[in-house]
């Protein structure tokens, strides 16, 4: 018998791995939008997904530092721990429990098709961790544990949110229920896929071996200006219309970054800068990036001086998260047929 469709309260969930320093890609694709989502009348839950981070090797001391630094990055970017639930994943054991159930729902073939698995495991897949392969099932658990309906992510995570929907559909179908909602990826803004400053066809990533490929949220003004000055471009002037950026990945990337940092559309930016050479545009972009990012790095450094304050914010966030997660997990276990007191 099919359970009556529950009404799902709109709720936002998203996460970031503490697997290294934060980049401009994480800021524009995720953090900035997480902060904006707090004022849209929905409950917002943000998680530092440390259990995902260890799917590739993490030095324990580095993981601890990166988790606190990531928490500082969230707060410095405008995520308010009073308005949002902010915590690290491993403090809420329900993620792992629901993740196991979803390991038994997801199919091997689904996982094998994941672009991130293919990219990260590459030709060395026999040596990759089992966790890296199962990562999307745990991510589905992260989202569905809160019955989240909206998942703000960058373009690169779209496939994983779609897989979350597939897992919810299969679970609901297999158990004759409508217990889990089908969450929507929310991918919007001018910079949903910030590209490497050295190669406009590659995503800007915290694990890229070249530090010049990315802007880190901890970079100082000189480093930001230097990286933008050296960013790869082409010899043409900037166009006045978006059509003119079509075959120009590097130029498009820098214009997208400018637009996203300045809360403008690409059309608005091109209306102002069309016809300018990069020698003129790059210093404009560097000034804008420094103006927007310096207050964030200063605040992150200040917060990092009080790690115990960060830890207590995360513990409190985990307590609040558990209040939502526990009844969802309990009901899931009942649906699956597990005996519980
Ligand atoms: N270049 C990007 N442009 C837009 N959004 C991005 N995100 C990451 N890179 C970009 C978004 O940031 C959120 C958190 O990502 P993550 O750190 O958990 O994992 P990731 O996507 O694998 O990020 P990285 O920087 O590429 O990390 P590594 O190098 O460890 O794999 C997500 O919403 C993501 O879309």
């Amino acid at each position: 018998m099919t359970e009556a469709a529950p009404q799902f309260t709109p709720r936002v969930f998203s996460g970031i791995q503490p697997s290294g320093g934060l980049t401009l890609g994480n800021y524009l694709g995720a953090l900035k939008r997480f902060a904006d989502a707090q004022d849209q009348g929905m409950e917002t839950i943000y998680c530092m997904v440390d259990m995902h981070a260890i799917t590739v090797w993490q030095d324990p001391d580095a993981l601890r530092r990166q988790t606190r630094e990531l928490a500082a990055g969230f707060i410095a970017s405008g995520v308010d721990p009073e308005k949002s639930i902010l915590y690290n994943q491993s403090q809420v054991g329900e993620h792992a429990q629901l993740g196991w159930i979803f390991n038994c729902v997801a199919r091997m073939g689904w996982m094998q098709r994941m672009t991130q698995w293919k990219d990260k495991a590459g030709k060395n897949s026999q040596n990759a961790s089992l966790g890296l392969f199962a990562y999307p099932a745990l991510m589905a658990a992260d989202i569905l544990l809160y019955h989240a309906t909206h998942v703000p992510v960058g373009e690169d995570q779209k496939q994983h949110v779609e897989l979350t929907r597939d897992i919810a559909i299969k679970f609901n179908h297999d158990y004759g229920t409508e217990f889990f909602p089908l969450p929507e990826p929310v991918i919007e803004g001018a910079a949903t896929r910030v590209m490497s400053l050295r190669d406009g066809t590659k995503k800007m990533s915290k694990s890229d071996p070249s530090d010049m490929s990315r802007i880190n949220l901890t970079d100082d003004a000189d480093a930001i200006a230097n990286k933008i000055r050296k960013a790869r471009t082409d010899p043409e002037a900037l166009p006045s219309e978006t059509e003119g950026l079509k075959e120009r990945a590097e130029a498009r990337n820098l214009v997208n970054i400018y637009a996203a940092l300045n809360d403008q559309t690409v059309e608005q930016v091109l209306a102002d800068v069309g016809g300018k050479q990069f020698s003129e545009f790059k210093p404009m972009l560097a000034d804008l990036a420094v103006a927007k990012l310096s207050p964030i790095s200063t605040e992150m450094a200040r917060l990092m001086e009080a790690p115990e304050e960060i830890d207590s914010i995360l513990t409190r966030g985990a307590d609040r998260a558990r209040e939502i997660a526990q009844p969802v997990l309990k009901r899931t276990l009942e649906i699956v047929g597990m005996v519980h007191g």
Side-chain angles (χ1 to χ4, degrees):
M1 207 173 53
T2 302
E3 280 192 358
Q7 293 301 314
F8 295 106
T9 313
R11 187 178 276 156
V12 174
F13 176 92
S14 199
I16 299 190
Q17 297 186 67
S19 52
L22 284 163
T23 71
L24 180 66
N26 298 132
Y27 176 66
L28 294 177
L31 289 170
K32 183 173 188 294
R33 296 171 48 227
F34 294 174
D36 295 344
Q38 295 177 127
D39 302 315
Q40 293 169 12
M42 284 189 264
E43 189 167 17
T44 43
I45 305 175
Y46 299 125
C47 184
M48 271 133 277
V49 287
D50 45 10
M51 283 156 49
H52 286 278
I54 61 161
T55 56
V56 297
W57 168 251
Q58 303 292 334
D59 173 79
D61 287 334
L63 181 62
R64 257 185 294 276
R65 184 177 31 77
Q66 285 158 195
T67 304
R68 292 180 180 129
E69 194 176 273
L70 177 54
F74 268 90
I75 298 166
S77 302
V79 172
D80 177 346
E82 293 303 318
K83 286 189 190 168
S84 295
I85 296 179
L86 183 65
Y87 69 104
N88 58 312
Q89 187 185 26
S90 59
Q91 291 208 67
V92 180
E94 285 78 2
H95 285 252
Q97 283 175 277
L98 188 61
W100 179 259
I101 292 179
F102 288 166
N103 279 344
C104 302
V105 173
R107 306 289 95 182
M108 296 282 284
W110 298 2
M111 301 303 190
Q112 268 154 353
R113 281 196 292 275
M114 293 296 108
T115 313
Q116 182 170 299
W117 160 251
K118 290 189 220 162
D119 288 351
K120 287 198 171 171
K123 292 196 176 70
N124 204 17
S125 64
Q126 293 302 306
N127 260 332
S129 73
L130 188 55
L132 187 66
F133 187 67
Y135 176 120
L138 180 59
M139 178 163 159
D142 301 336
I143 297 166
L144 294 172
L145 188 55
Y146 300 97
H147 276 188
T149 53
H150 296 72
V151 188
V153 281
E155 186 65 44
D156 58 314
Q157 287 293 335
K158 185 171 179 217
Q159 198 185 29
H160 287 162
V161 183
E162 284 165 355
L163 188 116
T164 299
R165 291 169 65 89
D166 290 341
I167 289 177
I169 291 169
K170 183 161 163 54
F171 181 97
N172 287 348
H173 174 268
D174 289 355
Y175 291 102
T177 177
E178 293 184 48
F179 184 60
F180 287 115
L182 306 187
E184 296 284 345
V186 184
I187 301 170
E188 49 194 31
T192 55
R193 192 172 170 81
V194 178
M195 308 309 278
S196 155
L197 298 179
R198 309 303 287 169
D199 177 352
T201 64
K202 264 174 57 185
K203 182 183 94 144
M204 182 182 285
S205 171
K206 50 174 115 80
S207 58
D208 192 309
S210 162
D211 192 56
M212 292 301 283
S213 71
R214 62 177 163 264
I215 292 173
N216 306 299
L217 288 197
T218 48
D219 282 345
D220 63 20
D222 286 347
I224 294 174
N226 185 37
K227 287 176 179 180
I228 292 177
R229 192 168 51 245
K230 299 221 167 106
R232 194 165 144 188
T233 43
D234 57 46
E236 306 294 316
L238 283 159
S240 304
E241 312 275 330
T242 46
E243 187 62 19
L245 291 173
K246 221 170 164 193
E247 305 295 326
R248 300 173 63 189
E250 280 88 10
R252 189 170 60 238
N253 188 37
L254 296 188
V255 173
N256 285 351
I257 292 173
Y258 190 99
L261 281 172
N262 218 19
D263 289 314
Q264 286 183 296
T265 63
V266 169
E267 287 77 10
Q268 286 167 334
V269 175
L270 290 181
D272 289 341
V273 304
K276 286 194 198 301
Q277 296 292 334
F278 281 104
S279 53
E280 208 179 331
F281 178 65
K282 280 180 168 180
M284 286 171 65
L285 176 59
D287 287 348
L288 176 66
V290 169
K292 298 284 180 178
L293 301 182
S294 296
I296 298 176
S297 64
T298 308
E299 180 62 2
M300 280 174 75
R302 192 190 68 76
L303 290 163
M304 285 300 281
E305 306 230 316
E308 60 297 334
E309 228 171 89
I310 294 180
D311 293 2
S312 79
I313 287 173
L314 298 185
T315 305
R316 160 99 185 100
D319 290 342
R320 290 169 66 197
R322 226 176 282 113
E323 280 171 27
I324 305 173
Q326 274 174 347
V328 174
L329 180 69
K330 186 166 186 292
R331 182 69 194 121
T332 309
L333 296 175
E334 281 165 9
I335 291 171
V336 170
M338 290 173 169
V339 175
H340 269 255

